[in-house]
Structures are given as C-alpha cells and as structure tokens.
Amino acid sequence: MTATALIVVAAGSGTRLGRGVPKAFATLAGATILEHALRGLVGVDARIVAVVPAGAEADARAIAERAGVDAAVVAGGATRADSVAAGLAAAGDARRVLVHDAARALAPRALVERVLAALDAGAGAVVPVLPVVDTIRSVDGAADASAEALGAIVDRSGLRAMQTPQGFDAALLRRAYEAAGEGRAASTDDAQLVQALGEAVVAVPGDELAFKITTAADAGRAEALLAPTRAVPELRTGIGVDVHAFGGDGPLRVAGLEWEGQGLAGHSDGDVVCHAIVDALLGAAGLGDIGGLVGVDDPQHAGARGEVFVRLAVERLAEHGWRPQSVGVQVLGVRPRIGSRREEAQAVLGAMVGAPVSVSGTTTDGLGALGRGEGLQAIATALVARG
C-alpha cells in the first residue's frame, strides 16, 4: 500500500496571470510554474499525481522528468474540485493525501514536512495558515469596486490565510467529496468540505514563500525570488595566437577590415586577428583549433576571409552549448596602425562573434621579424559560457 499520495493541482486556466497559456505552464525564471512546484517535492516520500488540463498530459510528463520527479499525470476537470477528484482517483490505495496547488510553486519542503508530521501525530485534516497582516474591511453593496461602500474594519486577529499543501486522511477526504456532491464545485478549499462533515481541521504554521501566483505582480515577485537560485553558468577562457608574413597576392585584411599595403601570405586571407580569435574561442570550449575546424589547406577555403572562420567557430560552440562572452585581441607589428580604425574593427569583429571584442596594437621596438615589418602576429583571449 502506498502510504501517501501528493496531488499537485495544475489545471487552472491562468486568465488573471495573462500569459496566454494555462497558469502551470507559464514560464518563470527559465522553467514552468509546474516544474518549480515539482522541484520542491523532490525527495518527498509520496506518490506524486499531477493534475493538468486535458491535452497537456505529454507536456506535463516531460516537465516532471526535467524536475526529477516520478509523477503520474492525469487530466483535470472544469473546476478545482473536479481536478482534485481526478487526483484522488489516481491516488490508488494511499492512506494519506496531500493536496497542493502548483500555483504555490515556491512552497518549501519544510512546509510539506510540517503537514506530514501533523498527520503522523493523528490529525485527520491539516492546513498550513498564516496570520492576516493587512487591515481588512467589509464592504456594502455593489460588486463594482468603484461603487463599493466601505463597512466596518474586521478584527484580523481572528483571521488566517489558508495555504497548501493541505493534508488529509484519504478516506476522510473521499467521504467529504462524496457528501458534498454537486455542491463541491463552489468550494475553493478542501478543508472546507471536511469541516462540513463536522470534522476537526488542525492548523500548522504556513510559510511566506508559499504565496499563490495568480497575477502578473505575483509572477514578478516569484521571478525575483527565483533569480538568485539560477544555475551559475560555466565559464572558460582560451588563448589563440596566429602569425603571418607579408607577401600575399591579395589585399591586406586584418581584424575583418581591408587596409592599404601588401597582403599577408597564407592559404586564406591571412587575417591574423580573425584566426587568433577562432583558436581562442575553440580552445576555451575544448573544441580544438582552426586546423581541426576547416583544415589548413582545404581548397574551398583558399583565399577565404577570416570572417568565414570566426562564424564557423561560433556555430561550433553553439552546437556544444557554448556562447562567447567577450574577446580581447592584441596585434603585434609595424603596420597597419590598428589604433586608427580601432572602433571600426571592434564593431565588425563584435558582429562576427556576437559579443564584445576589444582590439589593441603594439610594436616590438624593432626586435625580430615583426619589428622589421616582415609580418604580423595576433594574440587573442576569449571568455565563453555554458549553462
């Protein structure tokens, strides 16, 4: 016999949330509300039953798998009570049943444990509650808020706000649903049906995090709370170096721009900056180098511009879940003078990479082949992220 079933009600339309999809399938901080709710139940010793809109069962199963929860998924009904009844039918022979609203997606595991502990202590029905902290007034007359006449202030000391999950002896809850009959449709709280039988309902402390996501403001609050828990992306750095001598037949291309003067020798256009960027990006992601990407003497890349290789490298990164964050390049040589077109070069390279690129130039004070103006060298560093 399964000791406990935990029914997650997720069949609401979400009209007030205004996302254009059923509420539980709206996305907050990179995951659906249902996924957040199910994640909070990981490790709970219970049979999880997710009740979702008819036709959404396959999507819900995929969501449960992402959340790391083994859940039975059933279609809900026209009202919340109908959906709970569908969950009860799927609860099997469980002795205890917890009913939880997916809209209370941030409810902490500790709240579930408090409800279970009260059931263990012999309670037949348990609800988590919070004191009402706002000043509450009654109203008289019209349903139109603009025409309402304010009545007396209600003593809030005797008021409590109800939350979920609510816990029940399974037989008791089934009896309450049977006794309510068609009248259950008007109920928005399962404990109310149990109380209608004359049975006692035990209260346990609720939790501020178990607020119900109903409106856009609620969704914004939930996203703000979820943001710090997002996974920190994996970051890696890479270095790329390229050198080419002057002596090419084509134009001089450096940093994706064409310059005056003799071109650089090489199978492609010899753009040392673009080639160094490619090696830095690939190296950061552990994906080899430019030779492994395109081959050093592939005929189709004869005379190819450096932009071709940079874009291929960015695509290769994307295939493995990596994205460039920033690139820095320093060019060593006598000519061309990078500083004269730095901003233009940075804009062109940034468009290729899809991330900020900084470019600088320096000389070797006349030392070596670079100092004698025989060629150019570029050293690039790249920061990439995944996750």
Side-chain angles (χ1 to χ4, degrees):
M1 174 182 288
T2 303
T4 306
L6 203 163
I7 300 169
V8 180
V9 184
S13 64
T15 302
R16 286 175 289 177
L17 188 61
R19 295 290 184 95
V21 295
K23 184 195 297 184
F25 294 83
T27 299
L28 300 179
T32 63
I33 289 176
L34 177 57
E35 184 172 343
H36 288 301
L38 292 176
R39 283 178 182 169
L41 304 177
V42 172
V44 174
D45 184 15
R47 171 180 169 81
I48 307 297
V49 179
V51 186
V52 301
E57 294 92 336
D59 289 340
R61 291 187 186 95
I63 289 170
E65 184 175 352
R66 288 199 298 273
V69 171
D70 182 13
V73 178
V74 298
T79 68
R80 182 184 185 281
D82 290 337
S83 295
V84 174
L88 276 171
D93 56 0
R95 292 187 296 103
R96 309 183 301 186
V97 174
L98 271 63
V99 181
H100 187 36
D101 290 333
R104 298 185 186 275
L106 275 64
R109 171 76 175 276
L111 182 58
V112 179
E113 300 296 345
R114 282 200 290 274
V115 173
L116 288 172
L119 291 174
D120 287 339
V126 183
V127 295
V129 300
L130 285 178
V132 174
V133 295
D134 292 324
T135 297
I136 305 295
R137 276 185 180 272
S138 63
V139 294
D140 299 323
D144 180 2
S146 63
E148 288 176 346
L150 290 177
I153 291 178
V154 178
D155 181 7
R156 66 189 179 194
S157 65
L159 300 178
R160 296 294 183 269
M162 310 283 280
Q163 295 185 319
T164 69
Q166 297 182 359
F168 305 93
D169 174 87
L172 175 61
L173 184 59
R174 288 192 173 95
R175 184 157 57 90
Y177 264 73
E178 290 170 3
E182 296 298 324
R184 73 189 190 191
S187 173
T188 59
D189 183 87
D190 301 296
Q192 178 184 2
L193 299 180
V194 171
Q195 283 183 303
L197 296 178
E199 298 287 344
V201 176
V202 173
V204 297
D207 195 292
E208 294 288 352
L209 288 176
F211 65 92
K212 191 173 184 180
I213 302 170
T214 302
T215 66
D218 298 328
R221 177 185 175 191
E223 287 190 306
L225 291 167
L226 288 165
T229 66
R230 292 177 185 172
V232 177
E234 180 181 359
L235 298 174
R236 290 187 184 177
T237 59
I239 300 175
V241 179
D242 194 49
V243 182
H244 282 281
F246 289 110
D249 296 329
L252 175 60
R253 292 198 183 105
V254 180
L257 303 177
E258 192 167 313
W259 307 73
E260 292 185 2
Q262 185 180 33
L264 291 162
H267 180 65
S268 60
D269 65 354
D271 188 334
V272 293
V273 171
C274 287
H275 298 179
I277 288 175
V278 169
D279 277 354
L281 290 171
L282 294 174
L287 298 175
D289 53 30
I290 192 170
L293 179 69
V294 297
V296 295
D297 55 2
D298 188 332
Q300 70 172 321
H301 294 121
R305 299 175 69 106
E307 177 180 358
V308 173
F309 306 131
V310 173
R311 295 194 183 278
L312 284 173
V314 172
E315 290 174 6
R316 177 66 61 83
L317 261 66
E319 291 171 1
H320 291 79
W322 295 98
R323 58 189 183 279
Q325 299 297 292
S326 65
V327 174
V329 189
Q330 185 161 61
V331 183
L332 289 79
V334 175
R335 65 177 181 87
R337 294 191 176 278
I338 297 298
S340 64
R341 301 175 67 184
R342 177 180 291 109
E343 292 185 2
E344 184 183 0
Q346 291 177 162
V348 168
L349 293 169
M352 295 181 201
V353 174
V357 178
S358 61
V359 182
S360 62
T362 189
T363 68
T364 62
D365 286 337
L367 297 176
L370 298 178
R372 294 192 296 271
E374 296 175 14
L376 280 179
Q377 181 180 30
I379 302 173
T381 59
L383 176 67
V384 301
R386 179 167 62 181

